[in-house]
Amino acid sequence: QMLYAYDDTDLVASFLVSTGLDRYPTEPGQYHIYAKMRYSDMRDFDYYLPDVPYTMYYSGDFSIHGTYWHHSFGTRMSHGCINLPTDEAGWLFNFASVGTVVNIHQ
């Protein structure tokens, strides 16, 4: 439940995050950020979250983003996305660019 930000091989920041629940896992693998949106509406059959801040999509609808609806970071809480506190997501949003590699490990 940690996210590590690297500049080349130098660790520059680390954040406590929330990833996917067992029934909605955050899939391991190597991805690249393909789109960044300052705000993004997210919805599925059982939720609607307007204006999710600092959204960085890396695989389909899966993203790294700020989270205003819970503060249980370090606990698996999401539908497969990677949740961060909003201020930390903002830092990461400004640090990472489209094309940045995202490595997800279990």
Side-chain angles (χ1 to χ4, degrees), residues 2-7 10-16 88 91-92 95:
M2 292 293 296
L3 184 149
Y4 300 98
Y6 288 88
D7 184 3
D10 297 325
L11 178 65
V12 295
S14 60
F15 306 105
L16 194 60
E88 294 176 0
W91 183 93
L92 192 63
F95 174 76

PDB file of all heavy atoms in Angstrom, residues 2-7 10-16 88 91-92 95:
ATOM      1  N   MET A   2       1.963   1.202  -0.758  1.00  0.00           N
ATOM      2  CA  MET A   2       2.875   2.342  -0.878  1.00  0.00           C
ATOM      3  C   MET A   2       3.106   2.659  -2.349  1.00  0.00           C
ATOM      4  O   MET A   2       3.125   1.762  -3.187  1.00  0.00           O
ATOM      5  CB  MET A   2       4.228   2.033  -0.227  1.00  0.00           C
ATOM      6  CG  MET A   2       4.195   1.897   1.271  1.00  0.00           C
ATOM      7  SD  MET A   2       3.801   3.444   2.136  1.00  0.00           S
ATOM      8  CE  MET A   2       5.183   4.491   1.706  1.00  0.00           C
ATOM      9  N   LEU A   3       3.281   3.934  -2.628  1.00  0.00           N
ATOM     10  CA  LEU A   3       3.668   4.394  -3.952  1.00  0.00           C
ATOM     11  C   LEU A   3       5.002   5.106  -3.800  1.00  0.00           C
ATOM     12  O   LEU A   3       5.166   5.939  -2.896  1.00  0.00           O
ATOM     13  CB  LEU A   3       2.625   5.357  -4.514  1.00  0.00           C
ATOM     14  CG  LEU A   3       2.846   5.841  -5.948  1.00  0.00           C
ATOM     15  CD1 LEU A   3       1.508   6.100  -6.617  1.00  0.00           C
ATOM     16  CD2 LEU A   3       3.701   7.090  -5.995  1.00  0.00           C
ATOM     17  N   TYR A   4       5.957   4.756  -4.661  1.00  0.00           N
ATOM     18  CA  TYR A   4       7.286   5.352  -4.645  1.00  0.00           C
ATOM     19  C   TYR A   4       7.499   6.101  -5.955  1.00  0.00           C
ATOM     20  O   TYR A   4       7.271   5.533  -7.027  1.00  0.00           O
ATOM     21  CB  TYR A   4       8.354   4.278  -4.474  1.00  0.00           C
ATOM     22  CG  TYR A   4       8.201   3.501  -3.198  1.00  0.00           C
ATOM     23  CD1 TYR A   4       7.575   2.262  -3.184  1.00  0.00           C
ATOM     24  CD2 TYR A   4       8.661   4.014  -1.987  1.00  0.00           C
ATOM     25  CE1 TYR A   4       7.416   1.545  -2.004  1.00  0.00           C
ATOM     26  CE2 TYR A   4       8.500   3.302  -0.802  1.00  0.00           C
ATOM     27  CZ  TYR A   4       7.889   2.077  -0.828  1.00  0.00           C
ATOM     28  OH  TYR A   4       7.720   1.376   0.340  1.00  0.00           O
ATOM     29  N   ALA A   5       7.934   7.346  -5.865  1.00  0.00           N
ATOM     30  CA  ALA A   5       8.214   8.159  -7.045  1.00  0.00           C
ATOM     31  C   ALA A   5       9.724   8.269  -7.215  1.00  0.00           C
ATOM     32  O   ALA A   5      10.433   8.657  -6.273  1.00  0.00           O
ATOM     33  CB  ALA A   5       7.595   9.544  -6.893  1.00  0.00           C
ATOM     34  N   TYR A   6      10.183   7.950  -8.407  1.00  0.00           N
ATOM     35  CA  TYR A   6      11.609   7.978  -8.719  1.00  0.00           C
ATOM     36  C   TYR A   6      11.887   8.984  -9.823  1.00  0.00           C
ATOM     37  O   TYR A   6      11.106   9.126 -10.763  1.00  0.00           O
ATOM     38  CB  TYR A   6      12.082   6.602  -9.202  1.00  0.00           C
ATOM     39  CG  TYR A   6      12.153   5.569  -8.121  1.00  0.00           C
ATOM     40  CD1 TYR A   6      11.047   4.789  -7.806  1.00  0.00           C
ATOM     41  CD2 TYR A   6      13.329   5.357  -7.412  1.00  0.00           C
ATOM     42  CE1 TYR A   6      11.108   3.824  -6.813  1.00  0.00           C
ATOM     43  CE2 TYR A   6      13.405   4.396  -6.417  1.00  0.00           C
ATOM     44  CZ  TYR A   6      12.296   3.644  -6.122  1.00  0.00           C
ATOM     45  OH  TYR A   6      12.355   2.687  -5.135  1.00  0.00           O
ATOM     46  N   ASP A   7      13.020   9.651  -9.714  1.00  0.00           N
ATOM     47  CA  ASP A   7      13.587  10.455 -10.786  1.00  0.00           C
ATOM     48  C   ASP A   7      14.814   9.684 -11.230  1.00  0.00           C
ATOM     49  O   ASP A   7      15.829   9.672 -10.523  1.00  0.00           O
ATOM     50  CB  ASP A   7      13.953  11.847 -10.288  1.00  0.00           C
ATOM     51  CG  ASP A   7      14.465  12.745 -11.389  1.00  0.00           C
ATOM     52  OD1 ASP A   7      14.495  12.312 -12.558  1.00  0.00           O
ATOM     53  OD2 ASP A   7      14.847  13.891 -11.083  1.00  0.00           O
ATOM     54  N   ASP A  10      16.728   7.705  -8.487  1.00  0.00           N
ATOM     55  CA  ASP A  10      16.672   8.376  -7.191  1.00  0.00           C
ATOM     56  C   ASP A  10      15.237   8.422  -6.662  1.00  0.00           C
ATOM     57  O   ASP A  10      14.351   8.980  -7.315  1.00  0.00           O
ATOM     58  CB  ASP A  10      17.201   9.808  -7.300  1.00  0.00           C
ATOM     59  CG  ASP A  10      18.670   9.872  -7.703  1.00  0.00           C
ATOM     60  OD1 ASP A  10      19.425   8.979  -7.281  1.00  0.00           O
ATOM     61  OD2 ASP A  10      19.032  10.809  -8.436  1.00  0.00           O
ATOM     62  N   LEU A  11      15.032   7.878  -5.477  1.00  0.00           N
ATOM     63  CA  LEU A  11      13.729   7.968  -4.821  1.00  0.00           C
ATOM     64  C   LEU A  11      13.526   9.412  -4.368  1.00  0.00           C
ATOM     65  O   LEU A  11      14.345   9.955  -3.618  1.00  0.00           O
ATOM     66  CB  LEU A  11      13.679   7.020  -3.616  1.00  0.00           C
ATOM     67  CG  LEU A  11      12.396   7.038  -2.794  1.00  0.00           C
ATOM     68  CD1 LEU A  11      11.218   6.543  -3.622  1.00  0.00           C
ATOM     69  CD2 LEU A  11      12.569   6.188  -1.543  1.00  0.00           C
ATOM     70  N   VAL A  12      12.446  10.039  -4.837  1.00  0.00           N
ATOM     71  CA  VAL A  12      12.195  11.443  -4.491  1.00  0.00           C
ATOM     72  C   VAL A  12      10.981  11.627  -3.587  1.00  0.00           C
ATOM     73  O   VAL A  12      10.844  12.674  -2.957  1.00  0.00           O
ATOM     74  CB  VAL A  12      12.064  12.325  -5.760  1.00  0.00           C
ATOM     75  CG1 VAL A  12      13.382  12.369  -6.504  1.00  0.00           C
ATOM     76  CG2 VAL A  12      10.952  11.854  -6.668  1.00  0.00           C
ATOM     77  N   ALA A  13      10.100  10.640  -3.507  1.00  0.00           N
ATOM     78  CA  ALA A  13       8.925  10.744  -2.633  1.00  0.00           C
ATOM     79  C   ALA A  13       8.315   9.362  -2.444  1.00  0.00           C
ATOM     80  O   ALA A  13       8.479   8.475  -3.293  1.00  0.00           O
ATOM     81  CB  ALA A  13       7.885  11.689  -3.231  1.00  0.00           C
ATOM     82  N   SER A  14       7.596   9.208  -1.342  1.00  0.00           N
ATOM     83  CA  SER A  14       6.833   7.980  -1.115  1.00  0.00           C
ATOM     84  C   SER A  14       5.525   8.363  -0.434  1.00  0.00           C
ATOM     85  O   SER A  14       5.474   9.331   0.336  1.00  0.00           O
ATOM     86  CB  SER A  14       7.616   6.969  -0.286  1.00  0.00           C
ATOM     87  OG  SER A  14       7.937   7.494   0.979  1.00  0.00           O
ATOM     88  N   PHE A  15       4.473   7.610  -0.753  1.00  0.00           N
ATOM     89  CA  PHE A  15       3.137   7.932  -0.277  1.00  0.00           C
ATOM     90  C   PHE A  15       2.397   6.666   0.141  1.00  0.00           C
ATOM     91  O   PHE A  15       2.486   5.645  -0.538  1.00  0.00           O
ATOM     92  CB  PHE A  15       2.312   8.602  -1.388  1.00  0.00           C
ATOM     93  CG  PHE A  15       2.977   9.800  -1.998  1.00  0.00           C
ATOM     94  CD1 PHE A  15       3.549   9.716  -3.252  1.00  0.00           C
ATOM     95  CD2 PHE A  15       3.036  10.997  -1.311  1.00  0.00           C
ATOM     96  CE1 PHE A  15       4.163  10.814  -3.820  1.00  0.00           C
ATOM     97  CE2 PHE A  15       3.651  12.107  -1.875  1.00  0.00           C
ATOM     98  CZ  PHE A  15       4.216  12.010  -3.132  1.00  0.00           C
ATOM     99  N   LEU A  16       1.643   6.761   1.218  1.00  0.00           N
ATOM    100  CA  LEU A  16       0.724   5.710   1.627  1.00  0.00           C
ATOM    101  C   LEU A  16      -0.505   5.809   0.725  1.00  0.00           C
ATOM    102  O   LEU A  16      -1.043   6.906   0.528  1.00  0.00           O
ATOM    103  CB  LEU A  16       0.345   5.918   3.085  1.00  0.00           C
ATOM    104  CG  LEU A  16      -0.335   4.782   3.823  1.00  0.00           C
ATOM    105  CD1 LEU A  16       0.553   3.549   3.852  1.00  0.00           C
ATOM    106  CD2 LEU A  16      -0.672   5.232   5.243  1.00  0.00           C
ATOM    107  N   GLU A  88      -1.125  15.042  -1.910  1.00  0.00           N
ATOM    108  CA  GLU A  88      -0.042  14.194  -2.408  1.00  0.00           C
ATOM    109  C   GLU A  88      -0.274  13.826  -3.877  1.00  0.00           C
ATOM    110  O   GLU A  88       0.669  13.767  -4.671  1.00  0.00           O
ATOM    111  CB  GLU A  88       0.101  12.956  -1.532  1.00  0.00           C
ATOM    112  CG  GLU A  88       0.562  13.323  -0.136  1.00  0.00           C
ATOM    113  CD  GLU A  88       0.632  12.163   0.822  1.00  0.00           C
ATOM    114  OE1 GLU A  88       0.331  11.011   0.438  1.00  0.00           O
ATOM    115  OE2 GLU A  88       0.996  12.412   1.993  1.00  0.00           O
ATOM    116  N   TRP A  91       0.942  16.717  -5.912  1.00  0.00           N
ATOM    117  CA  TRP A  91       2.395  16.703  -6.074  1.00  0.00           C
ATOM    118  C   TRP A  91       2.787  15.734  -7.186  1.00  0.00           C
ATOM    119  O   TRP A  91       3.573  16.070  -8.076  1.00  0.00           O
ATOM    120  CB  TRP A  91       3.090  16.318  -4.763  1.00  0.00           C
ATOM    121  CG  TRP A  91       4.577  16.364  -4.890  1.00  0.00           C
ATOM    122  CD1 TRP A  91       5.386  17.428  -4.597  1.00  0.00           C
ATOM    123  CD2 TRP A  91       5.429  15.320  -5.381  1.00  0.00           C
ATOM    124  NE1 TRP A  91       6.690  17.107  -4.888  1.00  0.00           N
ATOM    125  CE2 TRP A  91       6.748  15.817  -5.374  1.00  0.00           C
ATOM    126  CE3 TRP A  91       5.217  14.027  -5.842  1.00  0.00           C
ATOM    127  CZ2 TRP A  91       7.843  15.064  -5.788  1.00  0.00           C
ATOM    128  CZ3 TRP A  91       6.309  13.272  -6.270  1.00  0.00           C
ATOM    129  CH2 TRP A  91       7.607  13.784  -6.236  1.00  0.00           C
ATOM    130  N   LEU A  92       2.234  14.507  -7.123  1.00  0.00           N
ATOM    131  CA  LEU A  92       2.568  13.486  -8.113  1.00  0.00           C
ATOM    132  C   LEU A  92       2.122  13.893  -9.511  1.00  0.00           C
ATOM    133  O   LEU A  92       2.836  13.672 -10.494  1.00  0.00           O
ATOM    134  CB  LEU A  92       1.936  12.158  -7.702  1.00  0.00           C
ATOM    135  CG  LEU A  92       2.397  10.924  -8.463  1.00  0.00           C
ATOM    136  CD1 LEU A  92       3.895  10.676  -8.242  1.00  0.00           C
ATOM    137  CD2 LEU A  92       1.592   9.714  -8.025  1.00  0.00           C
ATOM    138  N   PHE A  95       4.617  16.158 -10.855  1.00  0.00           N
ATOM    139  CA  PHE A  95       5.907  15.480 -11.032  1.00  0.00           C
ATOM    140  C   PHE A  95       5.917  14.574 -12.266  1.00  0.00           C
ATOM    141  O   PHE A  95       6.875  14.571 -13.034  1.00  0.00           O
ATOM    142  CB  PHE A  95       6.218  14.655  -9.771  1.00  0.00           C
ATOM    143  CG  PHE A  95       7.442  13.806  -9.882  1.00  0.00           C
ATOM    144  CD1 PHE A  95       8.705  14.368  -9.802  1.00  0.00           C
ATOM    145  CD2 PHE A  95       7.332  12.428 -10.060  1.00  0.00           C
ATOM    146  CE1 PHE A  95       9.834  13.576  -9.906  1.00  0.00           C
ATOM    147  CE2 PHE A  95       8.456  11.626 -10.160  1.00  0.00           C
ATOM    148  CZ  PHE A  95       9.718  12.202 -10.082  1.00  0.00           C
TER     149      PHE A  95
END
